[in-house]
Amino acid sequence: SVIVYAQRCREAYRDTTIVLGGIESSLRRIAHYDYWSDKVRRSILADAKGDILLYGNAERAVVEVAHRLAAGAKPAELDDLRGVVLLKQKVPDGWMIARADDIEASDEGARLQAGKTVIRLPAYEQVEKDAEAYARASRVLHRESNPGNARALVQRHGDRELWVTPPPIPLTTPEMDGVYELPYAREIGRAHV
């Protein structure tokens, strides 16, 4: 449904930034196995032709993205936010690349390095054809899912780099209380007479 809705939004509002989110987008943020088509598919961001994807608990990120886009930022400039996936032309300067795309390497990019480090997953074109490469990409994604120590990930999709920032830090108790105190909370299931 994300792909169809994003396409319809793009048809109706050609120049509008499309922000994807929700469980379907979160689960399909890198190349993934699609049971319906029985094949490995690209990230939903690439398939839906969205501009940015928010994954995980995105309560903070959605507000920050809205403010920054309203102030004129481009989606590709939001790579400093946690829980964001976007497409770039290349890995930005100043980043060290830990390689997890070499199937012969035993460490899967797990070695910690000083400075800003991004882990290179096997490319979509590689995982599409190679079950071991797919398994490695999936394993590294899950290994880098702890918000306390996760690093950014990058996965080549054709001529672009899919950039996945570390997961969001969980909301504090007061932040979670604030979310549930919003006026729309608990509206589902309430009978209106």
Side-chain angles (χ1 to χ4, degrees):
S1 63
V2 171
I3 294 171
V4 172
Y5 292 143
Q7 288 172 345
R8 295 298 176 258
C9 289
R10 186 68 73 205
E11 289 170 7
Y13 305 99
R14 182 146 315 279
D15 298 325
T16 298
T17 299
I18 296 179
V19 180
L20 306 179
I23 190 71
E24 182 180 4
S25 297
S26 290
L27 293 173
R28 296 173 58 186
R29 60 187 178 269
I30 66 168
H32 62 282
Y33 176 73
D34 179 67
Y35 291 95
W36 291 99
S37 60
D38 191 28
K39 67 180 184 177
V40 174
R41 305 253 330 237
R42 300 182 306 167
S43 165
I44 192 121
L45 183 64
D47 280 352
K49 297 180 179 66
D51 297 298
I52 189 168
L53 182 156
L54 303 180
Y55 74 92
N57 59 319
E59 289 85 358
R60 286 187 204 105
V62 73
V63 172
E64 183 67 20
V65 166
H67 286 298
R68 288 172 64 177
L69 290 176
K74 302 287 183 235
E77 299 169 351
L78 304 177
D79 60 359
D80 60 326
L81 298 176
R82 295 179 78 95
V84 165
V85 180
L86 39 88
L87 289 162
K88 294 177 162 287
Q89 292 304 313
K90 65 182 186 92
V91 172
D93 294 335
W95 285 83
M96 296 185 62
I97 298 174
R99 303 197 71 86
D101 60 342
D102 178 4
I103 298 303
E104 302 304 318
S106 61
D107 76 337
E108 295 181 321
R111 198 171 332 121
L112 293 178
Q113 299 176 351
K116 297 188 293 186
T117 302
V118 61
I119 299 177
R120 176 164 299 287
L121 299 174
Y124 161 71
E125 293 79 9
Q126 188 179 3
V127 300
E128 178 187 32
K129 297 174 175 61
D130 182 346
E132 277 189 60
Y134 177 84
R136 173 163 292 196
S138 181
R139 186 170 51 235
V140 172
L141 173 73
H142 291 290
R143 184 191 71 213
E144 297 296 329
S145 66
N146 180 339
N149 63 4
R151 293 166 290 176
L153 304 172
V154 66
Q155 184 178 51
R156 194 85 182 150
H157 276 57
D159 63 346
R160 297 183 295 172
E161 300 282 7
L162 183 79
W163 186 267
V164 182
T165 67
I169 301 294
L171 297 175
T172 64
T173 299
E175 287 174 320
M176 185 67 79
D177 289 345
V179 169
Y180 283 95
E181 288 170 358
L182 292 170
Y184 63 83
R186 298 185 185 88
E187 287 297 315
I188 296 175
R190 182 182 287 182
H192 296 283
V193 180

